[in-house]
Amino acid sequence: MTILVLAEHDNAHLKADTAKVVAAASAIGGDIHVLVAGHQCVEAAKAAQSLAGVTKVLVADAAVYANHLAENLGKLIISLSADYSHILSAASSVGKDTLPRVAALLDVAQISEVIAVASADTFIRPIYAGNALATVQSLDDKKVMTVRSTAFDAVASTGSAELVSVDNALDAR
């Protein structure tokens, strides 16, 4: 089981939410790969390399990813998705924009705002404005989910993941 985490960054710095999503991925178990898609984003990729538990950082550095548009990121993630059982992102504007598109293209359900991992196919998420919790089990081959980063502690920066360049410059235009 291999998990893909979409990194949150500003093309220069990795955002703290990425380390928290990696913590959620660690709770699922398996190899964790982080996708850093942006333009001139080498520094963000280097920061992702140091996240504990991450075995590989995929870097898609192209102008089409500069603004983190869901159309372009979605096509990129779909092109990489065959190798992954889980695709995760922070429940941020980028994650909430990109992952529903990915889930639709993969013809699977998206699980939103995960706050806890019960098992590799069972997750806990809030419903009714957070007044109740739902335990959701997904029977889909691929799990696509956004993670509420405030529910997880960030992983340490003690890793040394492999850096791999992804040459897929997929423009949705």
Side-chain angles (χ1 to χ4, degrees):
M1 179 167 36
T2 307
I3 301 166
L4 180 66
V5 172
L6 177 62
E8 294 276 336
H9 61 90
D10 62 4
N11 289 315
H13 304 94
L14 195 65
K15 294 186 180 178
D17 283 354
T18 302
K20 295 177 179 186
V21 177
V22 169
S26 296
I28 295 168
D31 284 341
I32 301 169
H33 296 175
V34 174
L35 172 61
V36 178
H39 185 55
Q40 298 174 345
C41 57
V42 174
E43 291 304 315
K46 288 180 183 176
Q49 275 186 286
S50 70
L51 296 176
V54 174
T55 58
K56 188 183 292 185
V57 175
L58 306 173
V59 182
D61 195 335
V64 297
Y65 304 126
N67 297 315
H68 313 286
L69 297 176
E71 295 82 359
N72 298 338
L73 289 176
K75 284 182 78 172
L76 175 63
I77 293 169
I78 292 299
S79 74
L80 301 170
S81 67
D83 297 332
Y84 299 101
S85 61
H86 295 71
I87 300 171
L88 282 67
S89 178
S92 64
S93 59
V94 172
K96 288 179 178 182
D97 196 22
T98 304
L99 289 195
R101 176 179 302 274
V102 170
L105 291 171
L106 290 172
D107 196 25
V108 298
Q110 182 196 307
I111 305 166
S112 299
E113 304 277 341
V114 170
I115 61 168
V117 175
S119 70
D121 67 353
T122 307
F123 311 96
I124 300 168
R125 61 177 302 272
I127 57 173
Y128 299 115
N131 291 318
L133 299 177
T135 300
V136 179
Q137 183 177 31
S138 173
L139 301 178
D140 291 328
D141 291 338
K142 293 190 184 300
K143 283 45 166 181
V144 177
M145 66 183 84
T146 59
V147 174
R148 189 174 285 185
S149 58
T150 56
F152 295 90
D153 293 328
V155 296
S157 294
T158 58
S160 59
E162 171 188 9
L163 196 65
V164 176
S165 180
V166 176
D167 294 328
N168 299 3
L170 302 170
D171 193 343
R173 288 184 267 168

